[in-house]
Amino acid sequence: MNDDLKAAVLERCRRMEIPLAGVASTERWENPPFQPWMPEEFYPQSIFPEARSVIVIGLPVHLPVLETSPSIYYHELYKTVNTLLDQYTYRLASFLNDEGFPSVFVPRDGYGSIEVLQKNPVAFFSHRHAALLAGLGTFGVNNTLLTPEYGPRVRFGSVFTAADLPPDPLLAGDLCTRCMLCVRACPVSALNEEDYPEGLTDKAACARNSADLARRHISPCGICIKVCPVGEDRRHFGRNAPAGDEDPRYRRAVEHVRKYGGL
């Protein structure tokens, strides 16, 4: 395995100010940590046959902006994070290609649009499962990946590479506290109290809500991740879950932002 190359990749992540990065061997998709698991067509090797390792990076969704969701503010932050993920993973893939290892970045989504998602609510690759296998977090009741640093308030991007990089250990234990705040807060009752993967998001209900918000230019919803109490970012910003509800200053700030962008 190429320890020096992994160190070089992580150093590039540090220079790009990427706070979360991990590596998973493609063999982990073949020996999943739980069942049911995804079909083989969604494995990295099925999408990029040369793949031997998957590099996963994560960028935070800043809590004070997310607290206004759904809003034009969060909408713009979400787009910015997505753009950065595509740029950073492209640059990492380019670096690995220059080093002689065939590599490709994977776009942060991969389903086209909300309208397409309503008809086929699946992307061609799951970054959240990749992040799990790269040791960056564990799944929560809200079906998102929770990280120690940011809870579910993080977006992931991936790079498939032919380089044989040392994988990171999976995160031990579960981060989800089973507080059920996400279940109770979901505006379309798309979540239930069962743990993932037994409890699955009602994707049709979630997509319909996202489509409605998109028509008003304030998608995505973001409520299930903003109420989650997991994450060091809450300590950093001095927020409790649900954050800001007890402080009239935050209520005024949210009310102001929500007057704009939506129709």
Side-chain angles (χ1 to χ4, degrees), residues 70-89:
S71 70
I72 189 65
Y73 202 0
Y74 175 45
H75 172 80
E76 295 297 336
L77 172 63
Y78 187 87
K79 290 197 303 180
T80 297
V81 172
N82 282 348
T83 299
L84 289 171
L85 284 170
D86 284 351
Q87 292 177 349
Y88 291 158
T89 51

Side-chain angles (χ1 to χ4, degrees), residues 126-147:
S126 173
H127 295 289
R128 60 190 176 129
H129 286 85
L132 169 78
L133 297 179
L136 296 180
T138 63
F139 277 99
V141 170
N142 62 4
N143 285 209
T144 67
L145 198 80
L146 311 185
T147 65

Side-chain angles (χ1 to χ4, degrees), residues 70-72 74-76 78-79 109 111-118 188 205-222 260-263:
S71 70
I72 189 65
Y74 175 45
H75 172 80
E76 295 297 336
Y78 187 87
K79 290 197 303 180
D109 288 331
Y111 52 78
S113 69
I114 292 297
E115 289 73 24
V116 173
L117 198 61
Q118 286 182 280
V188 292
C206 187
R208 285 194 300 271
N209 184 50
S210 293
D212 177 62
L213 294 174
R215 285 188 288 270
R216 298 160 56 197
H217 311 290
I218 55 172
S219 63
C221 171
Y260 299 89
L263 299 176

Side-chain angles (χ1 to χ4, degrees), residues 72-263:
I72 189 65
Y73 202 0
Y74 175 45
H75 172 80
E76 295 297 336
L77 172 63
Y78 187 87
K79 290 197 303 180
T80 297
V81 172
N82 282 348
T83 299
L84 289 171
L85 284 170
D86 284 351
Q87 292 177 349
Y88 291 158
T89 51
Y90 175 85
R91 291 170 66 181
L92 289 173
S94 295
F95 165 71
L96 289 163
N97 283 324
D98 290 343
E99 292 295 310
F101 300 95
S103 305
V104 295
F105 91 108
V106 184
R108 82 281 169 180
D109 288 331
Y111 52 78
S113 69
I114 292 297
E115 289 73 24
V116 173
L117 198 61
Q118 286 182 280
K119 297 177 182 179
N120 182 27
V122 181
F124 75 80
F125 181 72
S126 173
H127 295 289
R128 60 190 176 129
H129 286 85
L132 169 78
L133 297 179
L136 296 180
T138 63
F139 277 99
V141 170
N142 62 4
N143 285 209
T144 67
L145 198 80
L146 311 185
T147 65
E149 298 85 356
Y150 308 106
R153 294 167 292 278
V154 56
R155 297 277 292 157
F156 297 106
S158 304
V159 175
F160 299 161
T161 180
D164 188 13
L165 302 176
D168 290 294
L170 271 63
L171 199 64
D174 288 319
L175 294 173
C176 182
T177 65
R178 295 190 55 78
C179 66
M180 300 303 155
L181 284 170
C182 59
V183 175
R184 294 195 294 270
C186 179
V188 292
S189 301
L191 300 171
N192 61 52
E193 296 188 2
E194 293 184 280
D195 290 322
Y196 182 85
E198 288 78 17
L200 296 175
T201 300
D202 183 341
K203 292 182 179 179
C206 187
R208 285 194 300 271
N209 184 50
S210 293
D212 177 62
L213 294 174
R215 285 188 288 270
R216 298 160 56 197
H217 311 290
I218 55 172
S219 63
C221 171
I223 291 176
C224 70
I225 67 172
K226 80 172 179 181
V227 301
C228 180
V230 178
E232 284 297 308
D233 57 339
R234 290 208 172 278
R235 180 193 60 78
H236 180 76
F237 287 108
R239 305 285 211 267
N240 295 317
D245 287 355
E246 71 284 355
D247 192 323
R249 297 177 302 163
Y250 295 121
R251 286 199 299 272
R252 286 196 300 269
V254 169
E255 289 168 1
H256 168 71
V257 169
R258 287 182 177 170
K259 292 177 183 177
Y260 299 89
L263 299 176

Side-chain angles (χ1 to χ4, degrees), residues 20-87:
L20 300 181
V23 174
S25 165
T26 54
E27 294 177 356
R28 288 183 175 173
W29 274 260
E30 300 169 359
N31 300 282
F34 53 76
Q35 294 288 346
W37 191 245
M38 67 189 73
E40 188 175 347
E41 64 193 80
F42 294 96
Y43 291 10
Q45 315 92 298
S46 298
I47 300 168
F48 185 60
E50 295 95 326
R52 298 187 67 185
S53 304
V54 179
I55 302 164
V56 186
I57 65 169
L59 298 180
V61 175
H62 298 147
L63 184 57
V65 178
L66 177 61
E67 286 174 347
T68 68
S69 67
S71 70
I72 189 65
Y73 202 0
Y74 175 45
H75 172 80
E76 295 297 336
L77 172 63
Y78 187 87
K79 290 197 303 180
T80 297
V81 172
N82 282 348
T83 299
L84 289 171
L85 284 170
D86 284 351
Q87 292 177 349

